[in-house]
Amino acid sequence: MDLKNKVAIITGGRRGMGRTHALTLAKAGAKVVISDISLEDCQKVVQEVKKQGGEAMAVECDVTKKEQVDIMVKKTIEVFGKIDILVNNAGILQFKPFLELTEQDWDKTLSVNLKGYFLCAQACAKEMVKQKSGVIVNITSIAMGGMGVGFPNIVHYSASKGGIVAMTEALALELASFNIRVNAIAPGAIDTPMMASSEQDPKTMEGTLARIPMHRIGKPEEVSNAVLFLASDRSSYITGSTIIVDGGWLAT
């Protein structure tokens, strides 16, 4: 799956799955833009990319702020000349019972996880339309709803992830005529800092593993391989789809 001469933006790229997405796409030949709220952390990933022989740059960006998203896109065009791939990965997760959720909790989660995806997709798509080609990969979650499996204490997170799926399908229809494909990936339990913070005790982990037919937590690279597939020409006839990477959780 060759991405030589392709340019990819990865939001939330400073750690976890975002970092692995950047390294994986870079190994396939893409020039990668690592974007997140910490420029210092992004630069560390840039150095990792360069050590493996790739090209990368870091851009500090809060995806909830349109002006910062526009600057991210502008810098990418100035340095690399185009945008072929957007991986909408930036996100936050907060565990809190529904009856205790505040308006601020709701607004913050929806702002990062859904509004941020909209702002980045729109800004990048405007550039992709000019070249009549592009790929947008939105990272959602198995907590996206509509699958017959609910997840308590993350109502706001689930709402945002369900919104991403709906947005993905709608964007796929609107952008298909410009040869822009839009797909989503729904990871299950993956070994990331976000996952680690949610595991409060061994019993919680035991309960999680009991729900997964493969009886293990997924690796970030296993999600990144799906990102690579959707970003490459190997998936040239796939758009508006959501690929589930969960070790069989939703199949139980």
Side-chain angles (χ1 to χ4, degrees):
M1 288 181 278
D2 186 10
L3 297 182
K4 187 177 180 180
N5 297 322
K6 300 291 186 180
V7 177
I9 293 177
I10 298 94
T11 68
R14 68 188 174 99
R15 64 175 188 168
M17 284 192 290
R19 168 185 166 274
T20 311
H21 299 336
L23 292 172
T24 299
L25 297 189
K27 280 182 181 179
K31 300 172 184 178
V32 295
V33 177
I34 294 125
S35 165
D36 213 314
I37 56 175
S38 169
L39 183 61
E40 182 180 357
D41 288 343
C42 289
Q43 289 171 335
K44 291 177 182 177
V45 182
V46 167
Q47 292 307 310
E48 289 187 77
V49 171
K50 290 183 176 179
K51 282 182 181 179
Q52 66 181 26
E55 291 186 59
M57 76 169 186
V59 178
E60 183 176 352
C61 179
D62 179 342
V63 296
T64 69
K65 302 186 183 303
K66 185 179 185 301
E67 62 273 18
Q68 292 191 29
V69 172
D70 289 341
I71 290 172
M72 174 185 70
V73 169
K74 182 180 178 182
K75 287 183 177 179
T76 301
I77 297 298
E78 288 175 349
V79 175
F80 293 131
K82 60 176 181 172
I83 300 169
D84 298 295
I85 302 158
L86 166 67
V87 182
N88 259 330
N89 173 80
I92 58 174
L93 170 64
Q94 174 197 36
F95 284 84
K96 200 169 188 179
F98 169 67
L99 295 179
E100 297 176 15
L101 274 180
T102 65
E103 182 179 4
Q104 289 72 28
D105 293 331
W106 177 273
D107 287 346
K108 182 177 181 180
T109 297
L110 271 291
S111 185
V112 175
N113 293 3
L114 190 55
K115 177 185 174 183
Y117 278 42
F118 155 69
L119 291 175
C120 292
Q122 187 181 63
C124 289
K126 287 180 179 179
E127 295 299 325
M128 293 174 179
V129 164
K130 297 175 184 178
Q131 63 199 32
K132 293 194 182 305
S133 67
V135 176
I136 297 173
V137 181
N138 295 322
I139 306 300
T140 179
S141 165
I142 59 170
M144 59 190 165
M147 304 300 294
V149 179
F151 294 82
N153 300 319
I154 52 170
V155 168
H156 46 337
Y157 178 82
S158 293
S160 70
K161 294 300 183 177
I164 290 169
V165 174
M167 183 175 71
T168 296
E169 294 172 352
L171 286 181
L173 296 180
E174 287 203 43
L175 298 177
S177 61
F178 299 104
N179 194 32
I180 299 171
R181 296 186 294 106
V182 188
N183 292 292
I185 295 173
I190 307 297
D191 185 14
T192 65
M194 183 181 288
M195 176 69 185
S197 67
S198 71
E199 298 300 340
Q200 301 173 0
D201 55 58
K203 287 186 177 180
T204 302
M205 177 60 77
E206 183 180 342
T208 297
L209 292 175
R211 294 178 173 89
I212 304 172
M214 294 184 73
H215 300 294
R216 68 176 177 84
I217 301 299
K219 300 174 183 178
E221 292 81 3
E222 293 175 305
V223 180
S224 297
N225 287 336
V227 172
L228 174 57
F229 170 66
L230 290 177
S232 76
D233 290 338
R234 293 292 182 92
S235 59
S236 58
Y237 199 54
I238 300 175
T239 194
S241 296
T242 298
I243 294 179
I244 298 169
V245 184
D246 71 345
W249 187 321
L250 294 184
T252 58

